[in-house]
Amino acid sequence: MKKLLDSFLTFFKSSDEESFYYVKMERNEKCYCGSGKKYKSCHYPDHQKKSKLAVRKIDEITGEEEIKIMSIKKLRKEHSLVKSSVH
Ligand SMILES: [Zn+2]
């Protein structure tokens, strides 16, 4: 049992090292909110007003995606993590 717990903790530890990247949401993509509308005619104008942008945060190991609304300022700072979308 102890051994199992140890490996569990190690697992958590290693997942702490963040290895992920961002992919910007394209304006012509369907909006992440599930409205069925394109991003540009759904949440995009609102994000523009607030200088924000929707990005997918993608885990490099598991490939899991998470939608994040990030400020453009922060995105610029983390530009090395931003990969352009593969369309
Ligand atoms: Zn939307």
Side-chain angles (χ1 to χ4, degrees):
M1 188 59 197
K2 169 97 169 53
K3 210 167 185 180
L4 195 72
L5 188 67
D6 274 350
S7 60
F8 192 60
L9 288 176
T10 315
F11 173 74
F12 260 105
K13 223 174 176 179
S14 64
S15 70
D16 244 15
E17 286 171 40
E18 300 200 83
S19 50
F20 59 87
Y21 58 94
Y22 298 114
V23 175
K24 283 187 211 168
M25 184 155 277
E26 297 291 325
R27 275 170 284 181
N28 282 323
E29 276 184 75
K30 278 208 177 137
C31 193
Y32 61 89
C33 70
S35 65
K37 285 190 273 187
K38 285 180 178 174
Y39 178 42
K40 68 175 177 189
S41 49
C42 188
H43 275 84
Y44 182 71
D46 189 47
H47 290 166
Q48 276 263 294
K49 250 185 266 166
K50 297 172 184 160
S51 295
K52 289 185 174 190
L53 205 61
V55 294
R56 291 193 175 86
K57 184 180 171 185
I58 299 174
D59 191 305
E60 228 153 7
I61 297 155
T62 63
E64 260 175 64
E65 289 188 16
E66 192 187 333
I67 299 293
K68 293 249 176 203
I69 313 302
M70 286 176 68
S71 71
I72 290 169
K73 217 166 144 191
K74 188 165 185 224
L75 271 175
R76 286 218 181 100
K77 241 197 317 201
E78 301 194 16
H79 70 276
S80 60
L81 287 168
V82 179
K83 291 191 182 166
S84 51
S85 182
V86 262
H87 284 298

